[in-house]
Amino acid sequence: MTVVSAESGTPLAAALPRRPIRELPDELVSQIAAGEVVERPASVVRELVDNALDAGASQINVKLMAGGVRSIVVEDDGIGIESAELPLALRRHATSKIGSLDDLEAVSTMGFRGEALAAIASVADVSLLSRTASAPHALRLDARSGELGPAARAVGTSVEVRELFFNTPARRKFLKSDSTELAHALEAVRRHALARPDVGFAVWHEGKLVAQWRPARLDQRIRDVLGEEFLEGSRPVEHAAGPLTIQGRTALPELSRARADQQYVFVNGRYVHDRLIAHGVRSAYEDVLHGQRQPAYVLFATIVPELVDVNVHPTKIEVRFRDGRAVHQAVHRAVEGALAVSRAGEVAQAPAGGAAASAEAGPLGHPVPGATALPVQPTPVPPWLPAATAANGFMRMPRSDGPAQGALALQTAAALYAQEPPAPWRVPPAPAVAAPPQDLPSADEWPLGRAIAQIGGVYVLAENRHGLVIVDMHAAHERIVYERLKASIGAAAIESQPLLIPASFPASPTEIAVAEGQRETLLALGLDVSPLSPGVLAVRARPAALAGGDAVALARSVLGELAELGDLGAQQVLQRARDEILATMACHGAVRANRQLTLDEMNALLRDMERTERADQCNHGRPTWRQLGMRELDGLFLRGR
Ligand code: ADP
Ligand code: MG
């Protein structure tokens, strides 16, 4: 919006009288810098905790009043600050962490710009209280008055920040309610807590302890911070690619969320927002996560410091990689690998004795996911059961925060099955390991067990050594067909079909630039999109497999994706679009409901599932099978109680 002055009718900016060039006073420079570094109490908390970690603290306490707006105190038991250096700590560009450009390139501390304390002190009342191991007592420095005096304290540092933005009322107005600010501050500590499980953290608000994380191993810390549910429903990630390693945990699709609020990425221990990494993860979920759902993950990337620039953002929340493409690829592979391990395969490794038992003490401390979630709603708890029984876990609630998954699966399956006529369903050759039907196959050979029946034309029942396996046959088959199609089509181009009448649409300059610049990629996707007239693009051909859809919508989403990803993405976009087309085809090719299968056919389906990657979810992210353990069956009949 342009503001126009009433008298002259010219824009105000142009009407400003010329002023001489002057250097800004120090205080004002710090306040301007503070605009970048300090947005709200949480930013202060983050900077102070960074400093405490850099000082080697093993316990960090954060004490807040009024969401941190009235006061923030961060105490640590780190190395402290020498008395002579106390005033320096508050000076702009004063730091103990780097001394040269070489240091900057290999920086391993959280801070290094030497501006956080100065910036905070320019917009709040700050005092420092610190003691080193060699000092006879602690010293306190009041930033505003410059007053320095002895004080009592053990080795370490306390920084107190009072009345944030007291001198910049315009910025204070941007602060939200105390509880919102508290939530942000807690989130800041949570990120540190995930990055440093070896350090203890405690947060107080208005004198009450609101969060506490004791020093622990990483898995325990993840459980403490994100909850049992995340730990149980996630897979370990472990991937090395040259100078880069990716570790952590990534949640199974059923733990996906409506918002991107459980996505933690750390690069060399620093919490970052990185579009490249986020996209790498997301693309690994492409096949198993529905539409707008957000995956949950905690990932730690470790990379030699020389290959990443951490000095690209004042709060260091963004980084720049020397080889972004390699990082993207490594993240994608790491997460994809973690998700591809089929649960069917995992059941084979679980100790016998009921799935519920193994959920409590799975191998490697990881619970057996096959035992975690059983759809509840189709089988209501009998009214005569004591209420507590359900809570005891004989039937667990589905874990998603969306609508109950079992119900969803049923509904959607029913909708799919309503489509007639049934598609041809070819039975794959029977496996060579076919056992005599009366023997239970060994679990190593047949993790999903031996088929025993089909019910409702929808589910296949099988018996394995943990109990009962229930398979949604359409969902499972869809995944198998999809993975097969993907493997068979390989790198071949997608078949394209010309439109009788080109579909034109008004396009943005970016869309036009992409259509012209990435023509090859688009053609490989089966899309012919080219300029028709200035500002207008026309779709002239589209993938034959998607002949029924909206050609313009398809073109726009592909153009949008290409634009966002630039050159880096061409390959990914190609892959993704191709996968989408294949998924559509797979759905049509998969077995329909009410098709009676023979036992051989059912067994063949189970064996195919065991062999197929990502067989635990159909292409839409719905589960394909569930395990009902002996203990859960016993629970149903109150056996052993
Ligand atoms: P930076 O962290 O980028 O060096 P800061 O303004 O955050 O800049 O801190 C300035 C300096 O003050 C640090 O380099 C460090 O030497 C000292 N310092 C700040 N906080 C602490 C602390 N909690 N313990 C020990 N030293 C600290
Ligand atoms: Mg700092």
Side-chain angles (χ1 to χ4, degrees):
M1 186 183 79
T2 317
V3 181
V4 174
S5 86
E7 302 93 317
S8 62
T10 53
L12 270 185
L16 273 181
R18 197 185 124 59
R19 287 197 193 152
I21 301 174
R22 274 174 313 194
E23 275 197 82
L24 295 173
D26 242 25
E27 171 86 0
L28 186 53
V29 174
S30 290
Q31 281 172 345
I32 292 171
E36 296 181 315
V37 180
V38 187
E39 185 198 345
R40 59 186 351 149
S43 354
V44 174
V45 170
R46 187 191 57 226
E47 292 293 341
L48 297 184
V49 174
D50 271 356
N51 282 346
L53 290 172
D54 283 345
S58 58
Q59 174 65 39
I60 299 173
N61 298 332
V62 180
K63 297 175 176 170
L64 307 167
M65 298 297 273
V69 181
R70 189 164 338 119
S71 92
I72 299 167
V73 178
V74 174
E75 306 168 342
D76 68 59
D77 56 357
I79 55 173
I81 307 173
E82 292 290 346
S83 48
E85 294 179 0
L86 263 184
L88 263 182
L90 292 166
R91 293 282 305 277
R92 217 153 30 86
H93 310 312
T95 177
S96 57
K97 295 166 195 173
I98 60 166
S100 69
L101 195 61
D102 287 349
D103 290 351
L104 180 61
E105 281 179 2
V107 70
S108 61
T109 48
M110 304 302 276
F112 54 83
R113 297 167 60 113
E115 60 186 9
L117 285 182
I120 296 166
S122 73
V123 291
D125 268 334
V126 171
S127 69
L128 293 182
L129 175 59
S130 193
R131 178 177 172 185
T132 58
S134 59
H137 55 75
L139 270 184
R140 174 191 206 94
L141 171 67
D142 185 284
R144 196 139 305 274
S145 66
E147 224 171 87
L148 191 66
R153 196 200 190 286
V155 173
T157 305
S158 307
V159 182
E160 184 171 358
V161 177
R162 268 163 290 124
E163 300 300 341
L164 187 61
F165 300 144
F166 76 98
N167 54 358
T168 47
R171 304 200 53 202
R172 193 158 175 143
K173 275 197 211 111
F174 276 98
L175 296 179
K176 300 284 189 315
S177 69
D178 289 1
S179 55
T180 301
E181 294 303 336
L182 171 65
H184 284 286
L186 265 170
E187 179 64 16
V189 184
R190 200 172 284 131
R191 292 169 185 170
H192 281 111
L194 284 170
R196 291 295 303 272
D198 55 319
V199 175
F201 293 86
V203 185
W204 278 265
H205 187 239
E206 304 281 346
K208 281 206 263 317
L209 185 66
V210 290
Q212 183 170 33
W213 297 297
R214 295 179 205 285
R217 305 235 329 253
L218 179 61
D219 268 9
Q220 180 62 40
R221 176 58 62 87
I222 289 177
R223 174 185 286 127
D224 294 346
V225 175
L226 297 179
E228 184 70 35
E229 186 181 70
F230 178 85
L231 196 75
E232 261 194 37
S234 60
R235 284 300 165 78
V237 176
E238 186 78 59
H239 184 85
L244 174 71
T245 64
I246 315 279
Q247 290 164 300
R249 296 193 73 90
T250 199
L252 291 168
E254 55 213 70
L255 247 67
S256 68
R257 304 172 70 83
R259 293 190 304 132
D261 59 349
Q262 270 192 4
Q263 301 182 343
Y264 295 92
V265 174
F266 301 86
V267 173
N268 292 349
R270 187 189 302 281
Y271 175 87
V272 298
H273 273 302
D274 190 79
R275 219 167 52 91
L276 204 70
I277 293 183
H279 186 273
V281 180
R282 178 72 227 193
S283 66
Y285 275 90
E286 203 55 55
D287 270 0
V288 289
L289 205 57
H290 193 44
Q292 302 305 312
R293 302 290 296 169
Q294 293 287 345
Y297 49 86
V298 181
L299 295 177
F300 301 91
T302 314
I303 184 168
V304 285
E306 285 78 10
L307 295 183
V308 55
D309 187 355
V310 291
N311 187 30
V312 295
H313 193 274
T315 66
K316 312 172 215 88
I317 194 151
E318 286 172 16
V319 294
R320 191 180 295 137
F321 298 102
R322 195 167 291 175
D323 188 352
R325 187 190 289 258
V327 172
H328 183 278
Q329 200 172 57
V331 169
H332 175 89
R333 295 233 170 100
V335 174
E336 190 183 46
L339 294 172
V341 180
S342 161
R343 287 189 292 193
E346 264 198 17
V347 171
Q349 295 149 23
S358 37
E360 281 146 34
L364 308 165
H366 299 306
V368 179
T372 52
L374 183 70
V376 151
Q377 16 334 98
T379 331
V381 179
W384 39 266
L385 271 186
T389 319
N392 284 345
F394 97 86
M395 273 186 171
R396 281 156 227 247
M397 291 304 291
R399 313 176 145 262
S400 83
D401 48 353
Q405 285 186 344
L408 204 70
L410 273 178
Q411 240 174 38
T412 324
L416 285 169
Y417 295 153
Q419 304 167 8
E420 290 295 331
W425 141 258
R426 287 205 316 110
V427 186
V433 289
Q438 58 272 44
D439 292 348
L440 260 189
S442 102
D444 290 340
E445 280 169 326
W446 288 6
L448 288 176
R450 186 174 56 105
I452 44 183
Q454 180 185 7
I455 50 171
V458 178
Y459 299 108
V460 169
L461 304 185
E463 178 185 9
N464 68 0
R465 67 170 169 154
H466 301 295
L468 183 66
V469 170
I470 307 166
V471 175
D472 177 332
M473 65 185 207
H474 173 78
H477 193 232
E478 188 179 291
R479 165 61 73 182
I480 292 166
V481 173
Y482 175 50
E483 293 292 338
R484 254 189 225 155
L485 279 172
K486 267 206 306 193
S488 68
I489 203 160
I494 289 167
E495 196 196 331
S496 177
Q497 186 184 70
L499 292 176
L500 280 167
I501 307 159
S504 65
F505 62 98
S508 72
T510 316
E511 286 171 329
I512 293 169
V514 172
E516 290 180 332
Q518 310 241 39
R519 189 157 171 74
E520 291 304 305
T521 309
L522 288 164
L523 287 176
L525 286 170
L527 265 175
D528 180 352
V529 188
S530 51
L532 187 66
S533 56
V536 176
L537 286 175
V539 188
R540 296 169 201 277
R542 62 166 158 199
L546 295 184
D550 178 345
V552 170
L554 176 74
R556 292 196 97 143
S557 71
V558 173
L559 289 173
E561 186 130 16
L562 277 172
E564 191 184 319
L565 294 167
D567 289 341
L568 168 78
Q571 201 50 44
Q572 259 90 31
V573 174
L574 199 67
Q575 188 60 49
R576 181 188 298 198
R578 182 175 291 158
D579 289 352
E580 254 157 39
I581 293 162
L582 296 183
T584 309
M585 289 158 60
C587 186
H588 290 290
V591 62
R592 300 282 136 180
N594 302 322
R595 162 88 165 72
Q596 285 305 316
L597 303 186
T598 66
L599 275 180
D600 279 349
E601 286 174 320
M602 291 184 230
N603 275 316
L605 177 67
L606 296 174
R607 304 293 81 80
D608 264 350
M609 287 173 70
E610 287 158 2
R611 277 195 295 266
T612 303
E613 284 193 351
R614 291 173 284 266
D616 302 330
Q617 280 88 28
C618 77
N619 307 334
H620 311 292
R622 295 190 306 273
T624 53
W625 68 282
R626 297 294 197 186
Q627 172 87 56
L628 192 51
M630 282 309 285
R631 192 189 269 198
E632 287 157 305
L633 290 171
D634 288 348
L636 277 174
F637 298 96
L638 305 179
R639 267 173 165 264
R641 276 170 202 276

